[in-house]
Amino acid sequence: MSEPLGVAVLGAGHMGADHVRRLARTAGARVAAVADPDTGRAEQAAAGLDGVRVHAEALAALHQPDVRAVLVASPDATHEEALLAAVARGLPVLCEKPLAPDPGAALRVVEAEARAGRALIQVGFMRRYDTAYRRLKALLDADELGRSLMLHCRHRNVSSPPHFTSSMLISSSVSHEIDAARWLLGQEITAVTVARPRPSSGAPAGLLDPQLVLFETDGGVLVDVEVFVNCGFGYEVTCEAVCERGTARVGDEPAMVVRSKGGARREIAQDYLVRFADAYDREVRAWVRAARAGRTAGPGAWDGYAAAAVAEAGVRALDSGERVTVELAERP
Amino acid sequence: MSEPLGVAVLGAGHMGADHVRRLARTAGARVAAVADPDTGRAEQAAAGLDGVRVHAEALAALHQPDVRAVLVASPDATHEEALLAAVARGLPVLCEKPLAPDPGAALRVVEAEARAGRALIQVGFMRRYDTAYRRLKALLDADELGRSLMLHCRHRNVSSPPHFTSSMLISSSVSHEIDAARWLLGQEITAVTVARPRPSSGAPAGLLDPQLVLFETDGGVLVDVEVFVNCGFGYEVTCEAVCERGTARVGDEPAMVVRSKGGARREIAQDYLVRFADAYDREVRAWVRAARAGRTAGPGAWDGYAAAAVAEAGVRALDSGERVTVELAERP
Amino acid sequence: MSEPLGVAVLGAGHMGADHVRRLARTAGARVAAVADPDTGRAEQAAAGLDGVRVHAEALAALHQPDVRAVLVASPDATHEEALLAAVARGLPVLCEKPLAPDPGAALRVVEAEARAGRALIQVGFMRRYDTAYRRLKALLDADELGRSLMLHCRHRNVSSPPHFTSSMLISSSVSHEIDAARWLLGQEITAVTVARPRPSSGAPAGLLDPQLVLFETDGGVLVDVEVFVNCGFGYEVTCEAVCERGTARVGDEPAMVVRSKGGARREIAQDYLVRFADAYDREVRAWVRAARAGRTAGPGAWDGYAAAAVAEAGVRALDSGERVTVELAERP
Amino acid sequence: MSEPLGVAVLGAGHMGADHVRRLARTAGARVAAVADPDTGRAEQAAAGLDGVRVHAEALAALHQPDVRAVLVASPDATHEEALLAAVARGLPVLCEKPLAPDPGAALRVVEAEARAGRALIQVGFMRRYDTAYRRLKALLDADELGRSLMLHCRHRNVSSPPHFTSSMLISSSVSHEIDAARWLLGQEITAVTVARPRPSSGAPAGLLDPQLVLFETDGGVLVDVEVFVNCGFGYEVTCEAVCERGTARVGDEPAMVVRSKGGARREIAQDYLVRFADAYDREVRAWVRAARAGRTAGPGAWDGYAAAAVAEAGVRALDSGERVTVELAERP
C-alpha cells in the first residue's frame, strides 16, 4: 500500500462530520478537504486532523490537487452538481443517499457516469454493510428456505427532525427499504401502494405518520414497510423475509437484558448512527479500498436512480391513495 | 352448585371430539349427547364416559330431555339450522366459528336470537381466552401506550387441509384475526384490501397462499394480516399492536431453547389444538359457568355476524383485487 | 365415570384455598371437607360451594364418611400426623411439599406407607406438571443431546414472607430444585455445598440471601442453584441442562413484549401461583384421576423423603461452610 | 496526525496474523516488522503490505530502528523475555494474554515496568472493548441495580485445540473471566474453588471438561464460571450480573432468527475471532492511539499479574479439590 487516498468531504453537518471522523480512523484514507458554506462548521469537523483544507465551495474542494476521491454529505439539492463535477474529473464518489432529490436528476447522473465509461459512484445505502442484513442476503442467495414471497419491514425513529414532511417518510426513510428490498431480492420494484391509519397524536400536526407502504416486485414478491418516524421509543429497523419453507428475521439488536421491577428489558438504540455505526465503518472502508484500486463497490448510480424512481412513485401513491406503477428508464 | 349442565355436542370430528374430552374434564358439565351422522365416530368420541346418548341427527340430540346446552362443532353448513333450533328451545349454545357460512345466514341467526329476547349464543373465537391476547387487550384498554394505530398479525399453518380454497384463507383462517381485531380495538372493520405475492410452490396448485389482508376500522386503525397456511414450519399466531407511544407483541410461545449444532432453537407448536389448548379450556369453562347461570359470556351472535360480513367482503376483495367496503346490517 | 371423589382439604391458607377453588373446577372431584383451626378461614375458602363441611380438626375431616381422598396444605409440622392418619385409613393423599419438616419424620411416613402395602401418597412438586419442565424431561430422556453434565438453576422470588430463615432458602425454596433435579436426571443427590456472597441489603437483616447451592449426583452431574428470595423483580424459575452435545433451557415464560421508552420489555410473573397455575391444575387433575382409579401418580413418599434428606444436608452445608454428603436410608 | 506508529508483531500464528491484518487497517499504525521462528509464516502474514521486515528473532524485530511499539502474539513461554526487552527499550506493548505463564514471571514484568517508571504494557483482555461488556460495566458503575452479589458466567468453545490440558481450561480460557470479573466489579479475587461433573464423552480422553469455577472477591461477590471447551455447538460467552435490585445479562449475540422445520433458530458464532472481531478492532485502535500519545490504555501489567495469580490458584484448586486462597504480591 502506498500513500493514503486524499478525500474531500462535502458537507460538515451531522453526517458529514461523522464521516470525517470515520475517514480519519481508516487506514488508506486521509481527509484532504472539508467543504461547507458554513466554514466554521467545516473547521470544527476537521479539528485535530493534520493537513485538511477547509472550503466554502464544494467545487473548490474537488479541484484541490491532492483530492483523489469525494464523499458527498451535503444537502440533497446539491448532489447533482457535485456528482457531475466529480464524474467530470474522474473522481470516485461515495454519495449519501439520495443520489439526487428526483428521478430526473438521478438519471442525468447515471447517464453522465455512463458517458464517462467507468463506474465512479457509490450510494450510501449502508444497510448493505450491516452484518445482519448481509447474513440475510447470504441466506436468501443460498436458497435454503426456497423462493422469497414477502418481506415485512419496520423502520421506526424516535422522532422526526424539524420540517420533515409526509412525503419524506417515503423519499427519505423508506428509501433505505427500497434499496434493501431490491438488493436482498435481486429484483426491481414495479408498483407501490400506501395505506395509513389515522396519524399518531405524537407526530407533529399534519404529518401522516405512521404509514404502511406496499411494494410489488417483478419477481412477484410483496414487501410491506411500516414507517413510523415518531414512535417515541427507539430507532428500530427490522426485516423478516417470508420464504416458501421458512422465514428469516434480522434487526433485533445485540443487547443487554436487564431484569428489574417486574420485567426483563432489552435496550433499543435511539439513533441510526449508533445502530448502524459498524455498517458505516465497513461501508467507508470498503469504498476507500475500492477507490484506491480504481474500482467501486456496493450500490451504484443505477441503484440510486431506481430508489429515487420508486420513492417518487411512492409519494404519488401516498398523495393519490392509489396503486402507482413504477416506470424505470432504460438502463444505459 | 347443583347438578352439572347436560351438554349436547353436535359433530364428532377433530374439534368436536376434542370438546367432548374437554367438557368431561370440566366441573359443572356433563356430556349428555353426541350427534354425528357417522354414529360410529360419535360413539368413539363418547367412549369411556357414562350416560352419553349417541344420535345420528342433531335435532334429536337437542330434544333429549336432559340436554340443557349445546356445543356446535358440526360442518359450517349445518350451523344455521342447529342454532335456530337451539334458540327456539331456549338453549345456550357455544358455536364453533363461523356462526354461519355467509352473512345472510348469520344475520338470520342474530335476528332469531333478538326475537327470543335473550342472549343465548357464544361463538368459538377462542383467542379471547388466550392469556397473551388477554394481556394485550388489558394493555390496550388501559391506554398505557396511547391510541392504537396499527396491528400487524401473522397467521401461519404448517399445511392446509384438503379442499382448502383461496377464499378460505380469509373466511376460515383470517376470521380469527377479524374477531381479534374487533375485540382488541373495540372497533368495527369498514374496508378490506387483499394483496398477495406469487403463490408459494409449497402450496397446492391453484391456492393463493400466502396473502396479505389489510383491514381499516372505523377508529382509523390499519390492520395487516399475513395469512400463510402452508408455511411448513409451524402453527404461529402473533399480533403486534403499534400505538402512539410504543408497541406490544404477543404470540411468541413459552419455550424450551435448545442450543445445538451452531444455534439456539426454540420450538414452535405444530397445531392449533396444542397452541390454544389452554384457551379452549378457559373458553369452555367460562361458557359452562355462564350457561349454568343462564347467561352468556364472550363473543356473541353479533360478533359472529360481523366476522362473516367482513370475511365476505375480504373474499370479494381477493377476487377483485380492489378495496371493498364492509356494509354491516343495523344491529337489532 | 361414577360419582365424584370427595376430597378433604386440610389447611385453608393461601395454598389450601387455592386448591379448594381448583378442585371445585375439576370434573371428578368434590370438596367434601375443609379443615383449619381458624374455621372462619375454612368457611371463607368453601364459600359458594355446595355440601362442604368445615372442621377445626384435621382428623375430624379425615373421618368424615364421604371423604375418600385428602389434600394436605396445612403447616409443615402437621403433615406427619395427617399423613399417618390418611395412610391408616387407606386414603389417597396429595401433600403439599415438604412431606415432613425433617428426614426422620419423612422416613416414618415412607415406612408407614410401605407397611400399608400400597402407594397412597403424592407430594406436591408441581414442576413435574409444568409443560416446559416436561419438555425438558422428554428431551433428556430421549438422549438427543447426550448425557447430562450440569444443571444451572435459578429460583428467584420478589420477596420472602415474614419469618423466612436462611435455612428455609434451602429447605423450602430449593426443595423444588432438589426434586426437579432428581426427576429430570433420574439420579440421587449425594453431596451438597453452599456458597454465598455478602447478603443483599434488600433482604431482611440476618437473612443469608442469595445463596448458590451445589449438588452432586450419583451419576456425576453437577447442579448449581441460585436461590434469591428477595430479588425484587419477579418470580423466576429457570433451568438449563448442559449436555454433551448441547444445552436446553426452560422457564422463560410466554410473554407480551412491550416496546416503549428506549427498550423492549417482557413481563415476569410476580407469584408462583401465577407462574405455575397451569402446572397446579394438571397436578390436581392427574391426582384426582389416579385417586379415583385407586392409584397414585407423580412424586411419591420416597421422593418426599429424599428431598427432605438432601435439604437437611444442605442446611448443614450452609451452617458449616463445608461439603456435606447425603446419606439416604435403605428404600423399603 | 503525523506519521503512523511502526509496530513489530511478534508471532505470526492464527492470532498474530489476525493482528497484522488489523493493524494494517488501522489509521495511525504501520506494520514495520513481523517476527516468527517460522519466517515463511511471518512472510505470509505480511504478504501484500509494504515495508514490512521479517525476522526469525523477536529481539531483532524490537531493535529495528523504525519500530516504536510491539504487539506480542508469540507463545506464552516467550512473553517474559519479549516484555522485559520492550520495557528496557521504552516501547509500548500490547501483549496477548497471558502476560506470562506463571505469577512469578508476571510479577517480574510488573516490577520491571515499575522500575522503568512508566506504564508501557497493555494486556489483550479484549472483552473490555466489547460493546456488550462495556454496557454492563457502565450499568454496574452507575449503581442502577444496587451492589453486585453474583456473576454467572458461561465460556463455551466448540472444541479444544490439540494438547489442551485440564489446567488450561482455567489458565487459558477462564483467565478472560478472571479479568472481566475484576474489571466489572473493581474488586480483587481472594479465593477459588473448582467443582466439576463427570467429564463429557465429547471431550478428549483425560480432559476434565466441563468445569464450574467459583471465585470469591474482596467485595463479597461470588462468581461462577461454567467453562466447557468441547460443547460442540458454538463459541458462547455470556455474563449475568445479579445485583440487589435486578440482574443484567450480556453475551447473547445479535442474530438472524430463522423459522424452519418446527422451530425458530438463532445462529451462534463458532469462533472467538468472529464473536469478538469488533472488540479486537477497538482494542487495537485504542492501543495505537494511546501508544502514539505516549500513554497506555486498558488493562495493564498488574491486571496481567493478578489474572496469572488467580489462575494459578485455580489450577491448584482443580488439582486438590479444595478451596484455595489467592495471595497477591504487594503492588509496586
Side-chain angles (χ1 to χ4, degrees):
Chain A
M1 255 197 295
S2 50
E3 77 180 56
L5 185 78
V7 179
V9 176
L10 310 186
H14 195 42
M15 194 78 233
D18 201 65
H19 276 311
V20 167
R21 280 190 295 277
R22 188 165 283 120
L23 285 163
R25 283 204 314 264
T26 298
R30 188 176 63 79
V31 180
V34 177
D36 200 293
D38 177 346
T39 52
R41 189 162 80 160
E43 273 170 30
Q44 201 174 332
L49 302 180
D50 291 338
V52 185
R53 288 184 56 189
V54 161
H55 301 267
E57 300 286 333
L59 295 190
L62 289 195
H63 284 87
Q64 189 178 308
D66 60 342
V67 163
R68 290 172 38 214
V70 185
L71 196 159
V72 179
S74 51
D76 300 357
T78 68
H79 285 194
E80 182 181 1
E81 186 185 17
L83 290 163
L84 294 177
V87 167
R89 292 209 51 207
L91 296 173
V93 193
L94 175 58
C95 179
E96 272 307 310
K97 57 101 211 168
L99 185 68
D102 63 85
L107 192 58
R108 287 190 292 275
V109 172
V110 167
E111 290 166 347
E113 190 195 47
R115 280 193 304 272
R118 186 180 150 209
L120 286 166
I121 296 169
Q122 176 170 344
V123 186
F125 288 122
M126 79 293 186
R127 290 211 197 147
R128 300 198 187 193
Y129 292 93
D130 179 62
T131 303
Y133 272 80
R134 291 175 86 96
R135 286 164 79 178
L136 179 54
K137 168 78 170 153
L139 183 88
L140 298 182
D141 286 352
D143 204 34
E144 276 183 46
L145 302 176
R147 191 163 48 82
S148 296
L149 304 170
M150 302 197 208
L151 302 181
H152 300 305
C153 308
R154 307 287 167 255
H155 186 141
R156 295 162 176 167
N157 296 73
V158 177
S159 59
S160 54
H163 314 306
F164 211 74
T165 65
S166 299
S167 299
M168 290 170 77
L169 270 79
I170 296 169
S171 61
S172 175
S173 302
V174 177
S175 69
H176 281 293
E177 272 74 23
I178 294 172
D179 184 66
R182 293 178 64 252
W183 172 66
L184 287 170
L185 300 169
Q187 299 175 12
E188 289 294 355
I189 291 169
T190 54
V192 196
T193 313
V194 181
R196 55 185 188 77
R198 185 181 300 176
S200 172
S201 67
L207 193 70
L208 302 178
D209 182 32
Q211 301 175 15
L212 187 77
V213 185
L214 294 181
F215 297 111
E216 302 162 43
T217 74
D218 55 10
V221 176
L222 189 67
V223 180
D224 60 273
V225 182
E226 176 205 311
V227 56
F228 188 5
V229 298
N230 290 281
C231 80
F233 62 82
Y235 176 70
E236 194 172 41
V237 167
T238 64
C239 179
E240 181 180 24
V242 180
C243 303
E244 295 186 316
R245 291 190 298 276
T247 86
R249 176 183 165 104
V250 295
D252 294 298
E253 289 175 88
M256 180 160 68
V257 175
V258 176
R259 286 162 157 74
S260 66
K261 294 180 222 112
R265 188 170 180 287
R266 184 171 64 74
E267 281 177 41
I268 295 174
Q270 297 298 294
D271 188 83
Y272 64 96
L273 289 179
V274 171
R275 166 64 182 86
F276 285 110
D278 290 335
Y280 280 118
D281 281 1
R282 278 190 205 95
E283 175 191 62
V284 168
R285 274 208 301 263
W287 172 68
V288 167
R289 204 160 40 233
R292 285 170 58 115
R295 291 181 287 100
T296 59
W302 178 258
D303 299 300
Y305 162 69
V310 174
E312 192 268 341
V315 171
R316 278 190 289 133
L318 172 66
D319 291 344
S320 68
E322 304 288 329
R323 175 177 179 275
V324 172
T325 56
V326 177
E327 307 293 343
L328 291 183
E330 194 74 18
R331 188 167 181 168
Chain B
M1 257 199 293
S2 49
E3 77 180 54
L5 185 78
V7 179
V9 177
L10 310 187
H14 194 44
M15 194 79 233
D18 201 65
H19 276 312
V20 168
R21 280 189 295 276
R22 188 166 283 121
L23 285 163
R25 283 203 313 265
T26 298
R30 187 176 65 78
V31 180
V34 177
D36 199 293
D38 178 347
T39 52
R41 190 163 79 159
E43 272 170 33
Q44 201 174 333
L49 302 180
D50 292 337
V52 185
R53 287 184 57 190
V54 161
H55 301 267
E57 299 286 333
L59 295 189
L62 290 195
H63 285 85
Q64 189 178 306
D66 60 344
V67 162
R68 288 172 40 215
V70 185
L71 196 158
V72 180
S74 49
D76 300 357
T78 68
H79 285 195
E80 182 181 2
E81 186 184 18
L83 290 164
L84 294 178
V87 166
R89 294 208 52 207
L91 297 173
V93 194
L94 176 58
C95 179
E96 272 306 311
K97 58 102 208 165
L99 185 67
D102 63 85
L107 192 58
R108 286 191 292 273
V109 172
V110 166
E111 290 166 347
E113 189 194 48
R115 280 193 302 273
R118 186 181 150 209
L120 286 166
I121 295 169
Q122 175 169 345
V123 186
F125 289 123
M126 79 292 187
R127 291 213 197 144
R128 298 198 189 194
Y129 292 92
D130 180 61
T131 303
Y133 272 80
R134 291 174 87 95
R135 286 163 79 179
L136 179 55
K137 168 79 168 153
L139 183 89
L140 297 182
D141 286 352
D143 204 33
E144 275 182 46
L145 302 177
R147 190 162 50 81
S148 295
L149 304 171
M150 302 197 208
L151 301 181
H152 300 305
C153 307
R154 306 288 168 257
H155 186 141
R156 294 162 178 168
N157 296 73
V158 177
S159 58
S160 54
H163 314 304
F164 212 74
T165 64
S166 298
S167 299
M168 290 169 76
L169 270 79
I170 296 170
S171 61
S172 176
S173 302
V174 176
S175 69
H176 281 294
E177 271 74 24
I178 293 172
D179 183 67
R182 294 178 63 252
W183 172 66
L184 287 170
L185 300 169
Q187 298 175 14
E188 290 293 356
I189 292 170
T190 55
V192 197
T193 314
V194 180
R196 53 185 189 78
R198 184 182 301 177
S200 172
S201 67
L207 193 70
L208 301 178
D209 182 32
Q211 302 175 14
L212 187 76
V213 185
L214 294 182
F215 297 111
E216 302 163 44
T217 74
D218 56 9
V221 176
L222 189 66
V223 180
D224 61 272
V225 183
E226 177 206 309
V227 55
F228 188 6
V229 298
N230 289 281
C231 80
F233 61 83
Y235 177 69
E236 194 172 43
V237 167
T238 64
C239 178
E240 181 180 24
V242 180
C243 303
E244 294 184 319
R245 291 189 299 276
T247 85
R249 176 184 166 104
V250 295
D252 294 299
E253 289 175 88
M256 179 160 67
V257 175
V258 175
R259 285 164 158 74
S260 66
K261 294 180 224 109
R265 189 171 180 284
R266 186 171 64 74
E267 281 177 41
I268 295 174
Q270 298 297 297
D271 188 84
Y272 64 96
L273 289 180
V274 171
R275 167 65 182 86
F276 284 111
D278 290 335
Y280 280 118
D281 281 0
R282 279 190 204 95
E283 176 191 61
V284 167
R285 274 208 301 263
W287 173 69
V288 167
R289 204 159 41 231
R292 286 171 58 115
R295 290 180 287 98
T296 59
W302 177 258
D303 299 301
Y305 162 69
V310 174
E312 191 269 341
V315 171
R316 280 190 288 133
L318 171 66
D319 290 344
S320 68
E322 303 288 328
R323 175 177 179 274
V324 172
T325 57
V326 177
E327 306 294 343
L328 291 182
E330 194 74 18
R331 187 167 182 168
Chain C
M1 257 198 292
S2 50
E3 78 180 52
L5 185 78
V7 179
V9 177
L10 311 186
H14 194 43
M15 193 80 233
D18 201 65
H19 276 312
V20 167
R21 279 190 294 275
R22 189 166 282 120
L23 285 163
R25 283 203 313 262
T26 298
R30 186 177 64 79
V31 180
V34 177
D36 199 293
D38 178 347
T39 51
R41 190 162 80 160
E43 274 170 31
Q44 200 174 334
L49 302 181
D50 290 336
V52 185
R53 288 184 55 192
V54 160
H55 301 267
E57 300 286 332
L59 295 189
L62 289 196
H63 285 85
Q64 189 177 307
D66 61 341
V67 162
R68 289 173 39 216
V70 185
L71 196 159
V72 179
S74 51
D76 301 356
T78 68
H79 286 195
E80 182 183 1
E81 186 185 18
L83 290 164
L84 294 178
V87 167
R89 293 208 53 206
L91 297 173
V93 194
L94 176 59
C95 179
E96 271 306 310
K97 57 101 211 168
L99 184 67
D102 62 85
L107 191 58
R108 287 191 293 275
V109 172
V110 167
E111 289 165 349
E113 189 195 48
R115 280 193 304 272
R118 185 181 149 209
L120 287 165
I121 296 169
Q122 176 170 345
V123 187
F125 289 123
M126 79 291 187
R127 289 209 199 147
R128 299 197 187 193
Y129 293 93
D130 180 62
T131 303
Y133 271 81
R134 292 175 87 97
R135 286 164 78 180
L136 179 54
K137 168 77 169 153
L139 184 87
L140 297 182
D141 286 352
D143 205 35
E144 274 182 49
L145 302 176
R147 189 162 49 81
S148 295
L149 304 170
M150 302 196 209
L151 301 181
H152 300 306
C153 308
R154 307 287 166 256
H155 186 141
R156 295 162 177 167
N157 296 74
V158 177
S159 59
S160 54
H163 314 305
F164 212 75
T165 65
S166 298
S167 299
M168 289 170 76
L169 270 79
I170 296 170
S171 61
S172 175
S173 302
V174 176
S175 69
H176 281 293
E177 272 74 23
I178 293 173
D179 184 67
R182 293 178 64 252
W183 172 67
L184 287 170
L185 300 169
Q187 299 175 13
E188 290 293 354
I189 290 169
T190 55
V192 196
T193 313
V194 180
R196 54 185 189 75
R198 185 181 298 175
S200 172
S201 67
L207 192 70
L208 302 178
D209 183 31
Q211 302 173 15
L212 187 76
V213 185
L214 294 182
F215 297 111
E216 302 163 42
T217 74
D218 57 9
V221 176
L222 190 67
V223 180
D224 60 272
V225 183
E226 177 205 309
V227 55
F228 188 4
V229 298
N230 290 280
C231 82
F233 62 83
Y235 177 70
E236 192 172 43
V237 166
T238 64
C239 179
E240 181 180 23
V242 180
C243 303
E244 294 185 318
R245 291 190 299 275
T247 86
R249 177 185 165 105
V250 295
D252 294 299
E253 289 174 88
M256 180 160 67
V257 175
V258 176
R259 284 162 158 74
S260 65
K261 295 179 221 110
R265 189 170 179 284
R266 184 171 64 73
E267 282 178 40
I268 295 174
Q270 297 298 295
D271 188 84
Y272 63 97
L273 289 179
V274 172
R275 167 65 182 86
F276 284 110
D278 291 334
Y280 280 118
D281 281 1
R282 278 190 204 96
E283 177 191 61
V284 168
R285 274 208 301 260
W287 172 68
V288 167
R289 202 158 44 228
R292 286 172 57 116
R295 291 180 286 100
T296 59
W302 177 258
D303 298 301
Y305 162 70
V310 173
E312 191 268 342
V315 170
R316 280 190 289 132
L318 172 66
D319 290 345
S320 67
E322 304 288 328
R323 174 178 181 274
V324 172
T325 56
V326 177
E327 307 293 342
L328 291 183
E330 194 74 18
R331 186 164 183 172
Chain D
M1 259 201 292
S2 49
E3 77 180 55
L5 185 78
V7 179
V9 177
L10 310 187
H14 194 43
M15 193 80 234
D18 202 66
H19 276 312
V20 167
R21 280 190 294 276
R22 188 167 282 118
L23 285 162
R25 284 204 312 264
T26 299
R30 186 177 63 80
V31 180
V34 177
D36 199 293
D38 178 346
T39 51
R41 188 162 81 160
E43 272 169 34
Q44 200 175 335
L49 302 180
D50 291 337
V52 186
R53 287 185 56 191
V54 161
H55 302 268
E57 300 285 334
L59 295 190
L62 289 195
H63 285 87
Q64 189 178 306
D66 60 342
V67 163
R68 288 173 39 214
V70 185
L71 196 159
V72 179
S74 50
D76 300 357
T78 67
H79 286 195
E80 181 182 3
E81 186 186 17
L83 290 163
L84 294 177
V87 167
R89 293 207 54 205
L91 296 174
V93 193
L94 175 58
C95 179
E96 271 306 309
K97 58 101 208 164
L99 186 66
D102 63 85
L107 190 58
R108 287 192 291 275
V109 171
V110 167
E111 289 165 349
E113 189 195 48
R115 280 194 303 273
R118 186 182 150 206
L120 286 166
I121 296 170
Q122 176 170 345
V123 187
F125 289 123
M126 79 293 186
R127 291 213 196 145
R128 299 198 188 193
Y129 293 92
D130 179 62
T131 303
Y133 272 80
R134 292 175 86 97
R135 285 163 80 178
L136 179 54
K137 168 77 169 154
L139 183 87
L140 297 181
D141 286 352
D143 205 34
E144 274 182 48
L145 302 176
R147 191 163 48 81
S148 296
L149 304 170
M150 302 196 208
L151 302 181
H152 300 306
C153 308
R154 306 287 167 257
H155 186 141
R156 295 162 177 166
N157 296 74
V158 177
S159 59
S160 54
H163 315 304
F164 212 73
T165 65
S166 299
S167 299
M168 290 168 75
L169 269 80
I170 297 170
S171 61
S172 176
S173 302
V174 176
S175 69
H176 281 293
E177 271 75 22
I178 293 172
D179 184 67
R182 293 178 63 251
W183 172 66
L184 287 170
L185 300 169
Q187 299 175 12
E188 289 294 353
I189 291 169
T190 55
V192 196
T193 314
V194 180
R196 55 185 187 77
R198 184 180 300 174
S200 172
S201 67
L207 194 70
L208 301 177
D209 182 32
Q211 302 175 15
L212 187 76
V213 185
L214 294 181
F215 297 111
E216 302 163 42
T217 74
D218 57 8
V221 176
L222 189 67
V223 180
D224 60 273
V225 183
E226 177 205 310
V227 56
F228 189 3
V229 298
N230 290 281
C231 80
F233 62 82
Y235 177 70
E236 193 172 43
V237 167
T238 65
C239 179
E240 181 180 23
V242 179
C243 303
E244 296 186 317
R245 290 190 300 275
T247 85
R249 175 182 166 107
V250 294
D252 296 298
E253 288 175 88
M256 179 160 68
V257 175
V258 176
R259 284 164 158 74
S260 66
K261 294 179 222 112
R265 188 169 180 285
R266 183 172 65 72
E267 282 177 40
I268 295 174
Q270 298 297 296
D271 188 83
Y272 63 96
L273 289 179
V274 171
R275 166 66 181 85
F276 284 111
D278 290 336
Y280 280 117
D281 280 1
R282 277 189 205 96
E283 176 190 63
V284 167
R285 275 208 299 263
W287 173 69
V288 166
R289 203 159 42 230
R292 286 171 58 116
R295 290 179 288 101
T296 59
W302 178 258
D303 298 302
Y305 161 70
V310 173
E312 191 268 342
V315 171
R316 280 191 288 133
L318 171 66
D319 291 344
S320 67
E322 304 288 328
R323 174 177 180 275
V324 171
T325 56
V326 177
E327 306 294 343
L328 291 182
E330 194 73 19
R331 186 167 181 168

